[in-house]
Amino acid sequence: MGRDDSKMKLLTIDDSRTIRRVISGIGAMLGYEVLEAEHGAAGLKILEQCSQDVGLVLLDWNMPGMNGLEVLKAIKADNRWQHIPVMMVTTEGEKDYIVKSIQAGACHYQTKPFTQEEMASRIMEAMGMGGGT
Amino acid sequence: MAISKEEFLLIRTFLHDHSGILIGDGKEYLVENRLTVLMVQNGCENFFDLHKKLQKDTGPLRNKVIDAMTTNETLWFRDASFAAVVSEAVLPQLVAKAATQTVRIWSAACSTGQEPYSIGILLHEEIKKLGAKGPPVSKFKILATDISPSAIMIAKTARYSQLAISRGMKPELLEKYFTKNGMVHEVKPEVRSLVEFKQFNLKDDFEQHGMFDFVMCRNVLIYFSEDLKRDIYRKIHRGLLKDGWLAIGASESPRGYTDVFEQVIIKGAALFRPKGVSKGA
Amino acid sequence: MGMGGRVAVQVESVHEALQVAVVDVLGRMAMTEVVLIHRERVSGFRLDFEAGGMVRLSGALNGMIGLTCHLGLVEELVSRIGGLPIDQLENEDLMDGVAELANLFGGWTKTNVGQGDVQVSPPMAFIGKEVIAEWKTDRPAERFIFQVNEHVLYVLASF
């Protein structure tokens, strides 16, 4: 894989601390440290500082300030970060939103609500875990 | 609702044919909520396209669809009476058997692993009761299978959140058999090493798995049609040793299969033993 | 006056979607079983228990979706969803949890009614022993009463 996935961190960008907490819990279950940002600008700032540690971004759609699609486009437009996989995590379940996200470079699209198992398996998939054993 | 009746029926039939799962009338939202992402990711315009792709697919997409449509909800020791009857009736007999042979247990719809790990824990408890006279734990093999590849992936990690743990795990057992790391509880190696996980579809041939002393097939066949249920019960019967046990969910009943299974009520919970000689139908 | 046939059908489809939303959201996020025990028409959109939250839907669908219940249920749900023991939850957690539930109920309903372009507002939420919140509306509200473990959850929709 060319990177040490076990040291990679997850970054959740979501204005709901409940959802950030859920994702942190699932990350911990899978052995990842989870960085938290409550809006897009804060998320991009974290990437500015430590994008090399971030193995996956989990991104909400509806947030104050930049919306998720704008954040996604900003990540994909910056050659320092564009390699980082981004998973949308949102209540928006309509096809249009999904199409736009995938076209803009999202690797996965997880609708809320989700079970812990669903989210865990999506993260494992995105982080390239689960093979072998 | 963006899914049409025709699309819903096509997907529903596909799921039934390939996984046995039966989606009820009026559950269009379930298909739409769970499969729209896969539809888009696979370049499909609508569910007709997705269905077409599924027809040609040899596995990967099919697995993803089945995965998205199966709910993975399991509990530790799901119901107390089941745990009690297993501890009191089944395990002592299996432990006695283990003095002379390897004992094989199958958790046939293990979801994210709670059931096989629970049985592993109960086994340890049972063996400990016997002290030095007890058989080595290595005499037991637990096979755990599920149709959902992601459920199996999670089960293998043996790590559970507070929420997942809170469903039925007794504090004293949690303490004994899990290592706590922050908010995560990890099953200890002595239990993990008993269990082997594999993805498996109950519609497929059981013979690859060999013979078992105890089969748990709980709360899964409720999603299957009558024909498929009958077929699966017969396959289980063929895979059970003569003195073996079958456990199904408390709300299930192998009605109409009494020709192959005999019900035994122990402490208010029902278990089943195979009738007659295990031979091919 | 009154609702035209088409609008009435639309409102009923919102109500149906909302009921499934509550069961699905709490089942998946909190692993909790939810049972609808009663539904009734009420004259106003009142959130009159210790915790409440709501979102507005606008566009092709116009209305409000909200929930209200005792603090005990909010604590239990937020604790289950977020994986924190109840005694470690702060007011901020409870408020955010109620807001997120309103958001999830609204978002789920919007997606599954599929009535075209609908926006869900950011959620509003409150907690507190003495609060009663009411939104004046010219339409009646439908109140769904759910049993969640030993608690009661009231979910309102006004469309």
Side-chain angles (χ1 to χ4, degrees):
Chain A
M1 292 241 85
R3 57 177 192 180
D4 182 357
D5 280 326
S6 63
K7 291 215 181 73
M8 282 290 174
K9 295 173 185 172
L10 313 180
L11 168 60
T12 165
I13 309 178
D14 198 308
D15 59 333
S16 163
R17 68 195 252 161
T18 306
I19 298 295
R20 295 200 302 274
R21 195 157 267 165
V22 174
I23 290 174
S24 294
I26 295 166
M29 194 171 96
L30 299 175
Y32 294 112
E33 189 186 325
V34 181
L35 307 170
E36 298 186 19
E38 59 183 314
H39 49 73
L44 294 177
K45 201 165 173 192
I46 290 177
L47 288 179
E48 287 278 355
Q49 289 158 355
C50 51
S51 65
Q52 69 282 358
D53 299 333
V54 176
L56 174 67
V57 177
L58 300 110
L59 183 57
D60 186 17
W61 190 296
N62 295 313
M63 293 182 288
M66 296 168 86
N67 71 31
L69 186 62
E70 289 162 346
V71 179
L72 171 63
K73 286 179 176 165
I75 293 172
K76 293 298 164 189
D78 192 310
N79 58 18
R80 293 169 298 167
W81 313 329
Q82 58 195 190
H83 63 281
I84 303 174
V86 178
M87 185 195 314
M88 303 304 292
V89 182
T90 168
T91 49
E92 301 292 353
E94 282 125 321
K95 195 179 146 210
D96 268 6
Y97 288 84
I98 301 168
V99 170
K100 277 183 196 152
S101 309
I102 301 288
Q103 282 171 349
C107 69
H108 274 295
Y109 194 103
Q110 175 63 53
T111 50
K112 297 178 202 167
F114 50 79
T115 61
Q116 291 193 347
E117 287 79 14
E118 278 173 286
M119 182 51 90
S121 60
R122 288 295 88 72
I123 293 174
M124 289 167 90
E125 220 173 295
M127 297 295 283
M129 295 167 73
T133 54
Chain B
M1 199 65 56
I3 186 171
S4 69
K5 189 84 198 162
E6 291 79 6
E7 290 174 300
F8 173 66
L9 291 176
L10 280 174
I11 297 284
R12 174 161 95 165
T13 307
F14 174 85
L15 276 167
H16 180 249
D17 291 349
H18 292 90
S19 70
I21 299 159
L22 203 55
I23 297 190
D25 288 332
K27 293 281 173 88
E28 279 88 347
Y29 76 89
L30 209 63
V31 172
E32 189 168 336
N33 282 4
R34 309 248 173 117
L35 297 185
T36 303
V37 173
L38 276 176
M39 178 181 102
V40 173
Q41 280 177 332
N42 285 281
C44 303
E45 271 298 308
N46 49 41
F47 289 98
F48 287 119
D49 285 357
L50 181 68
H51 183 255
K52 252 186 234 153
K53 267 222 159 105
L54 280 168
Q55 300 291 354
K56 290 185 202 138
D57 178 74
T58 51
L61 181 60
R62 185 176 296 181
N63 267 344
K64 282 190 173 169
V65 166
I66 291 173
D67 207 22
M69 293 303 302
T70 46
T71 46
N72 302 317
E73 198 211 334
T74 52
L75 312 178
W76 303 94
F77 314 108
R78 187 165 184 132
D79 40 84
S81 61
F82 175 66
V85 77
V86 168
S87 293
E88 287 172 36
V90 181
L91 294 186
Q93 188 192 323
L94 298 187
V95 167
K97 255 180 157 180
T100 53
Q101 63 189 85
T102 299
V103 169
R104 300 185 72 236
I105 298 170
W106 181 19
S107 167
C110 71
S111 187
T112 45
Q114 281 88 334
E115 181 176 87
Y117 289 134
S118 298
I119 291 297
I121 289 171
L122 292 178
L123 258 177
H124 270 276
E125 290 285 292
E126 186 61 34
I127 292 168
K128 271 183 198 153
K129 274 193 220 158
L130 298 176
K133 284 183 289 174
V137 175
S138 58
K139 294 284 243 178
F140 293 88
K141 305 271 179 235
I142 302 174
L143 172 69
T145 63
D146 199 273
I147 191 170
S148 156
S150 64
I152 291 292
M153 222 154 73
I154 292 166
K156 280 182 182 171
T157 69
R159 292 161 70 96
Y160 297 91
S161 69
Q162 191 61 44
L163 176 58
I165 266 304
S166 70
R167 302 274 277 178
M169 176 58 67
K170 288 187 190 147
E172 65 269 24
L173 295 178
L174 180 62
E175 177 109 345
K176 253 190 195 166
Y177 294 103
F178 290 78
T179 318
K180 189 163 192 258
N181 188 352
M183 281 154 62
V184 179
H185 305 269
E186 188 167 341
V187 183
K188 285 191 176 166
E190 71 237 46
V191 176
R192 283 181 78 163
S193 61
L194 287 174
V195 188
E196 182 196 6
F197 288 98
K198 272 187 193 159
Q199 190 205 344
F200 179 68
N201 189 335
L202 289 170
K203 281 176 67 89
D204 294 341
D205 199 347
F206 285 15
E207 268 166 36
Q208 53 174 304
H209 300 314
M211 300 297 283
F212 292 94
D213 298 276
F214 180 31
V215 174
M216 288 166 287
C217 187
R218 310 182 65 228
N219 306 307
V220 60
L221 297 187
I222 40 177
Y223 302 109
F224 290 44
S225 64
E226 282 304 316
D227 283 352
L228 199 51
K229 247 186 234 178
R230 182 169 310 115
D231 182 43
I232 291 170
Y233 277 123
R234 290 193 187 281
K235 289 194 289 190
I236 292 174
H237 181 258
R238 289 200 287 272
L240 260 184
L241 290 163
K242 261 190 293 188
D243 57 349
W245 297 92
L246 164 68
I248 61 177
S251 60
E252 299 174 86
S253 116
R255 267 191 327 270
Y257 318 107
T258 42
D259 55 330
V260 288
F261 286 109
E262 173 186 13
Q263 182 170 311
V264 189
I265 305 277
I266 303 163
K267 299 210 165 247
L271 285 171
F272 296 85
R273 312 214 67 161
K275 266 189 190 171
V277 188
S278 289
K279 273 209 181 125
Chain C
M1 22 192 293
M3 289 183 291
R6 221 182 110 240
V7 178
V9 168
Q10 198 186 48
V11 170
E12 192 41 38
S13 69
V14 170
H15 290 163
E16 275 170 19
L18 179 58
Q19 288 173 58
V20 185
V22 173
V23 173
D24 196 46
V25 167
L26 296 185
R28 295 171 93 189
M29 298 298 289
M31 284 198 201
T32 300
E33 261 178 55
V34 183
V35 183
L36 178 72
I37 47 180
H38 184 62
R39 63 179 275 190
E40 61 198 4
R41 181 65 58 93
V42 289
S43 58
F45 193 89
R46 253 185 176 216
L47 307 181
D48 46 6
F49 289 88
E50 296 163 352
M54 57 95 70
V55 289
R56 283 180 183 278
L57 274 63
S58 56
L61 266 181
N62 266 296
M64 301 183 281
I65 286 175
L67 69 140
T68 183
C69 60
H70 285 292
L71 271 182
L73 177 57
V74 177
E75 287 172 347
E76 188 177 321
L77 290 176
V78 173
S79 160
R80 294 186 67 81
I81 294 172
L84 268 194
I86 288 176
D87 57 14
Q88 285 179 30
L89 294 174
E90 297 166 7
N91 279 346
E92 187 78 12
D93 294 308
L94 301 180
M95 205 132 74
D96 187 86
V98 177
E100 189 55 27
L101 287 176
N103 184 41
L104 290 168
F105 293 167
W108 203 106
T109 303
K110 167 202 150 161
T111 298
N112 286 280
V113 173
Q115 290 289 339
D117 202 14
V118 178
Q119 286 82 45
V120 180
S121 73
M124 155 275 151
F126 69 81
I127 53 165
K129 296 253 183 233
E130 304 286 339
V131 183
I132 297 178
E134 175 163 359
W135 278 260
K136 294 293 179 192
T137 161
D138 53 0
R139 292 168 225 178
E142 194 81 6
R143 187 160 85 147
F144 299 89
I145 307 175
F146 293 93
Q147 187 182 341
V148 186
N149 301 336
E150 13 357 313
H151 302 279
V152 176
L153 171 69
Y154 299 85
V155 175
L156 285 106
S158 175
F159 282 85

